[in-house]
Amino acid sequence: MKLSSSLWQNLTGACAGLVLMLTGTLALAANDKLQLASPDGSIKIEVKADKVVTWSVRVDGEQVLLPSQLSMRIDDTLDLQHKPKVVQVKRRSVDQVLKPEVQVKSATIHDRFNEMKVDFNNRYSVVFRAYDNGVAYRYETSLPGQVTVNSELVEFVFSADSHVYYPEEKGFYSHNERSYIYQPIADIGKKNLASTPALVATGGTKLLITETDLRDYPGLWLLGNGRDRLVGTLPQFPLVKEIRHPDTLKRFEKKEGPGPDRNEPVMKRADYLAKTDGSRTYPWRILGIAKQDGDLITNQLSYQLASPNRIGDVSWIKPGKVAWDWWNANNLFGVDFVAGVNTETYMHYIDFAAEYGIEYVILDEGWYPLNDLLGSVPHMDVPALIAHAKSKGVEIILWASWMTLRDQFDAAMDRFAELGAAGIKPDFFQRDDQEMVNFYWKIAEESAKRNLLVDFHGAYKPAGLRRTYPNVITREGVKGLEWNKWSYDITPEHNTTLPFIRMAAGPMDYTPGAMRNAHGPSSYVPVDPNAGQTQDFNIRFERPMSQTTRAHQMALLTVFESPLQMLADTPTNYRKEHETTKFMASVPTVWDETIVLDGAVGDYIAVARRHGDQWFIGAMSDENARELEIDLSFLGEDNYEMVIFQDGLNSDRWAEDYKKVSMTVTRGQKLTASLNKAGGWTARLKPQ
């Protein structure tokens, strides 16, 4: 059965709200094309099977993705690029409402798409989906037993004058914490490796490249060709990891120092990507499409395309904020005990969290003897801390090095549960080959069995696991605030870039909330006083600061998404800055509704988010001062009490200067938010 495109659009339009499937068998001539349109008709995929299989994409009639090859080679014989022949095409249209277990952007998601499944003659299928805000494809195979995936061809061809925000990497062994450098796509060569997501600007459209439903398979990375395309590359299966250095092992055996507990770079890889089930689906390759930059903020395709919840009851999963110890190096002062990794310090953190309604405290590195998650260290009574926290309505999250967790897995997981911890923060993975991806899934599953939250650090980007196991509540894989301890990289431009790229893949544990605020250089290079650059920011590992204004730091909590939001500074500084701390502690970490008021990648962003009957607004600027219009037409009919924190008049010289303003507002009012350089503006609105 072969349907004309007009008949297909009429059928899908008439069946909104239903799941419609039309199936049929067709044989294509060598140069026939298959087309798939988004529900609103603005986006069209075209697939062609000739000597090779290609796909292309048009947005409002303009071709944004030129014909790009796709293929997978299995068992050295099956290859989609070897005489491909279409034997059947199945189509369906879906219009449904999803209710995320953890409401990162919204309480509901309108999941509406058209799908085309193309079956080839070698037991391959390629499934294409078209949404109103993006497209995606993935492979399905129906092969007996286990198979070896030798390679995968992933290609994205653009016009040669396109540009890309490119998170370049030095190699596959990485925390995936990179800056997004805007550059011509022609400048990206075959040796310029990048992690994903990455963002392409072509014509007036932004295209976000990422993946989801990553399972039992390596992650997607990118290379260029020096002309007009980005080509996928994936880490092959690891065969030999770095041998632990003999001197380090000797010191560890003599108890003279820690053993190697976190770094295991791959020294030799296999000639294949994965050994896996022959009958399965593979990760989705996503091209998120934004006609306006702000559309990237509300794009949820990474969640929509992932596998559904596997753990059933999620009532025990509690989002919230965390009092964090590591960034501020436990630097308490004005207390009657010696601050550090000891029981007294963490009792203080717990009391601070309870005082401000902060739900969690983390015990980061140092709470156990390195290389032994079953051991104890002097001056740290972990059971007493957890008991004290529970008595105050606060929960404890425990850090762990991934290698030690792997080596002591069952016993360590049981200990976390027996101690009464609420979650774990495994760290330093630095890989996303098949072996490591499977370990993420193992941690997620076993943590769910014990009612433990998971916050992956030293991690690859979110790729669907958070929907399948909602206890994976956030993760790093982002160049966050901690980089201020050793670099100039966390510029206001960086902060106004992240929401449009990295955040589109899922929550990011950036750790906002610095109370020491200063102005740094306006680029990624250190300041040159001879060139007339000035700054008051300094790199200080033990007493770090931000390169933004105070209001910018406060706005981060509303703009940046993380259901587990770490407050990075020390309780002493937060108590000294009670007014701003009280406001930040009131900002929710999950949302019922998100509205983008304005935004441009790397320049500025203003977003409004609703939690219950309250609204919060966050706005941030790059190194340039600017004014943004805040249109309150999203409010209900009530009068609202509005509390605003904005840049002070002198925040261009003294970044900690801010002003608090209170007023009554109504729906339809328009306010002007004045942001200084590296500035911010944030507000809470309660109905009266």
Side-chain angles (χ1 to χ4, degrees), residues 621-641:
S621 182
D622 60 4
E623 69 275 11
N624 298 303
R626 67 182 78 242
E627 291 187 344
L628 299 177
E629 181 180 86
I630 306 297
D631 186 344
L632 301 180
S633 59
F634 55 83
L635 293 177
E637 297 299 330
D638 297 318
N639 291 337
Y640 284 78
E641 176 191 347

Side-chain angles (χ1 to χ4, degrees), residues 594-668:
T594 294
I595 297 173
V596 181
L597 303 177
D598 202 356
V601 181
D603 293 335
Y604 60 91
I605 181 172
V607 63
R609 301 189 193 266
R610 180 177 62 83
H611 182 90
D613 62 356
Q614 294 189 57
W615 284 91
F616 289 77
I617 303 174
M620 309 184 321
S621 182
D622 60 4
E623 69 275 11
N624 298 303
R626 67 182 78 242
E627 291 187 344
L628 299 177
E629 181 180 86
I630 306 297
D631 186 344
L632 301 180
S633 59
F634 55 83
L635 293 177
E637 297 299 330
D638 297 318
N639 291 337
Y640 284 78
E641 176 191 347
M642 186 176 194
V643 177
I644 302 168
F645 286 81
Q646 61 191 38
D647 291 326
L649 290 175
N650 296 301
S651 61
D652 60 336
R653 293 180 296 159
W654 189 263
E656 293 170 4
D657 185 33
Y658 71 88
K659 182 179 181 181
K660 179 183 176 183
V661 178
S662 298
M663 65 177 71
T664 299
V665 296
T666 58
R667 181 179 183 177

Side-chain angles (χ1 to χ4, degrees), residues 483-522:
W483 278 70
N484 281 313
K485 290 166 72 79
W486 57 78
S487 82
Y488 289 97
D489 289 6
I490 308 304
T491 64
E493 180 182 0
H494 177 72
N495 288 349
T496 52
T497 299
L498 288 176
F500 300 92
I501 306 177
R502 167 58 182 82
M503 200 169 79
M508 52 186 193
D509 193 7
Y510 171 97
T511 70
M515 293 292 98
R516 297 184 186 92
N517 313 117
H519 287 293
S522 59

Side-chain angles (χ1 to χ4, degrees), residues 578-599:
H578 171 75
E579 187 173 59
T580 53
T581 301
K582 185 178 178 182
F583 179 89
M584 290 190 297
S586 75
V587 180
T589 63
V590 290
W591 306 99
D592 295 314
E593 188 177 356
T594 294
I595 297 173
V596 181
L597 303 177
D598 202 356

